[in-house]
Amino acid sequence: MKLLQIDSIHVVARSPYLVLHARLGNYDPQWLDDALEAGKLAECWAHEACFVPASDIAFHQAWRMQRSAHWAYKHADRMHRDHREGMDGLLTHIRHAGAARAADFESEQRGAGGWWSWKPEKRWLEAWFALGELMVTRRERFQRVYDLAERVQAKLDPPLDRQQLTFDHAALRQRFMVDSVRALGITQARWIADYYRLKPAVTDKELAPLVVDGELLAVQVAGWDVPAYVHRDHTDALEQAAQGQLRGTHTTLLSPFDPVVWDRARAQALFGFEYTIECYVPAPKRRYGYYVLPILHRGKLIGRLDAKAHRRDGVFEIKALFLEPGVEPSDRLLADVAKAVQASAQWHATPEVRLARSRPASVAAALRALWRGA
């Protein structure tokens, strides 16, 4: 995937941990924290704030130094212009006193919302992080611990390759395009730029040389009037798909910030799945719930559920579960969904599953019966 988007909402496991669970199953979430502290991973602005492999951080830093159009860099520049004295003083403090969290600073000044609702030191730490002077050395209870970039870079494994910082803009853009195609599996040109927030949009014309070189494969997809692209690393899977031999076997719950669904246009075209992250929608306007997890079932997005993990009580609450229109709740589908929900509940350390309601209504009773018999 090349990146894991970071989000702080934790009604269930926070997004990067949940994205990994969808792929790895019952793993220890501490692995992600340990990998960051050990320098195997790093944090930076990519799609949004993301964990990325340490081997890729030089490319992201080079992209930043070439003044990427990402909103975070523009905001950080403006913050430094407006608060130069405070920001410079904060950087000096960390240089001499060592790594720090936002919680290490106390302030009564508050803003109006977003970044601006944070106390000044938190905003300044984030701005220096975006500008590359600070990096995240570890997390403590998911709070970032910031340190000077050079001190964090010294522990990266593999070490930072400073020659990669000299890549020209065109070479970096091409690398991010190729990595995006590899990560997406199959994609139209118009979906590529979103993965790393590239501007301008990627075009078929821009991809043509990569097809000629054999790095990318251009394919036709039934029902699409534009080419699709697959990375050469996926040639075997492409051949299986062309022969009708590639079958989805996995059922799992996805994070709202999973790369499978974060591009809404792509999710609609690939899966016929209309999806909005409704935690940002006023409660009276929500259709499905606050933090709704798409259900991936054997290569299709067949529904969604509004979940909350009550860790203290050991309860995995499903406020509502919705199957997509036209999805038949077959015995196999229900068994797979029940197993996937139970696996997620066990991993959350909330083994008791409680389902309030479903659409269609009969699904709730069938799932409850499966969980009782598990």
Side-chain angles (χ1 to χ4, degrees):
M1 289 183 293
K2 285 292 187 177
L3 47 79
L4 285 168
Q5 183 176 344
I6 299 168
D7 189 84
S8 61
I9 296 174
H10 64 290
V11 292
V12 291
R14 289 183 174 91
S15 181
Y17 304 95
L18 191 58
V19 169
L20 290 179
H21 180 263
R23 289 151 178 81
L24 303 177
N26 189 26
Y27 80 102
D28 183 355
Q30 185 63 36
W31 171 85
L32 190 64
D33 300 338
D34 291 346
L36 176 65
E37 187 166 5
K40 299 285 188 180
L41 301 177
E43 291 191 31
C44 69
W45 285 94
H47 179 80
E48 288 296 330
C50 291
F51 295 111
V52 302
S55 56
D56 284 359
I57 193 63
F59 301 115
H60 291 284
Q61 291 186 347
W63 191 251
R64 173 188 53 77
M65 288 190 292
Q66 293 172 24
R67 284 299 180 255
S68 160
H70 200 293
W71 68 267
Y73 302 137
K74 294 180 178 180
H75 178 73
D77 277 332
R78 184 169 63 251
M79 181 73 67
H80 191 222
R81 288 196 303 270
D82 295 344
H83 300 273
R84 184 175 298 272
E85 183 177 354
M87 284 186 63
D88 289 351
L90 179 65
L91 194 63
T92 299
H93 171 81
I94 291 176
R95 187 176 301 280
H96 295 295
R101 305 167 302 157
D104 295 332
F105 304 93
E106 294 185 4
S107 175
E108 296 180 357
Q109 298 182 48
R110 296 286 177 177
W115 271 26
W116 300 267
S117 68
W118 294 336
K119 57 190 174 185
E121 291 84 0
K122 171 61 174 174
R123 288 182 283 153
W124 298 343
L125 287 166
E126 287 294 316
W128 279 131
F129 170 68
L131 293 171
E133 294 294 333
L134 295 180
M135 291 181 67
V136 178
T137 188
R138 65 183 183 278
R139 281 179 176 260
E140 295 178 359
R141 296 185 178 180
F142 208 67
Q143 292 185 53
R144 281 174 166 165
V145 180
Y146 304 83
D147 204 351
L148 297 181
E150 58 261 33
R151 294 202 284 245
V152 178
Q153 290 167 3
K155 70 172 184 178
L156 293 181
D157 182 13
L160 181 71
D161 185 349
R162 297 197 174 276
Q163 289 185 335
Q164 294 171 339
L165 297 175
T166 63
F167 269 35
D168 63 38
H169 186 85
L172 279 171
R173 179 177 167 88
Q174 185 176 98
R175 180 186 179 88
F176 286 138
M177 290 192 304
V178 169
D179 282 350
S180 298
V181 175
R182 185 193 290 109
L184 291 170
I186 187 165
T187 181
Q188 296 178 12
R190 65 190 175 108
W191 301 329
I192 294 173
D194 180 68
Y195 205 79
Y196 286 104
R197 301 294 203 225
L198 304 179
K199 291 186 179 181
V202 177
T203 65
D204 293 307
K205 181 179 179 180
E206 190 176 11
L207 296 172
L210 294 169
V211 174
V212 172
D213 291 344
E215 185 121 33
L216 301 182
L217 308 172
V219 299
Q220 295 298 318
V221 175
W224 291 3
D225 58 3
V226 296
Y229 299 91
V230 175
H231 193 273
R232 64 184 177 190
D233 287 357
H234 296 147
T235 300
D236 290 347
L238 179 62
E239 291 176 353
Q240 291 180 53
Q243 296 168 14
Q245 297 176 351
L246 195 62
R247 293 286 185 267
T249 60
H250 191 44
T251 301
T252 192
L253 308 182
L254 301 180
S255 161
F257 303 99
D258 193 296
V260 173
V261 294
W262 72 27
D263 186 330
R264 310 310 173 209
R266 181 172 179 268
Q268 179 73 55
L270 278 180
F271 302 104
F273 192 74
E274 183 182 344
Y275 186 57
T276 300
I277 301 178
E278 294 188 300
C279 54
Y280 303 123
V281 174
K285 296 184 178 181
R286 292 176 192 147
R287 296 175 60 193
Y288 299 106
Y290 175 72
Y291 201 71
V292 174
L293 312 182
I295 305 171
L296 177 70
H297 171 65
R298 297 179 182 265
K300 298 179 180 179
L301 293 174
I302 54 93
R304 63 196 88 199
L305 57 84
D306 183 17
K308 180 175 176 62
H310 299 273
R311 297 167 180 84
R312 182 176 298 177
D313 300 325
V315 173
F316 192 81
E317 178 189 13
I318 303 174
K319 299 177 182 179
L321 184 151
F322 306 88
L323 293 186
E324 290 293 281
V327 171
E328 176 65 29
S330 66
D331 290 345
R332 186 175 78 165
L333 182 146
L334 291 172
D336 285 350
V337 170
K339 183 178 179 181
V341 170
Q342 190 69 67
S344 185
Q346 292 284 354
W347 177 70
H348 278 89
T350 54
E352 181 183 347
V353 181
R354 294 179 186 172
L355 170 57
R357 61 187 178 91
S358 68
R359 188 185 71 195
S362 60
V363 167
L367 289 174
R368 292 187 196 111
L370 288 166
W371 290 323
R372 284 197 301 270

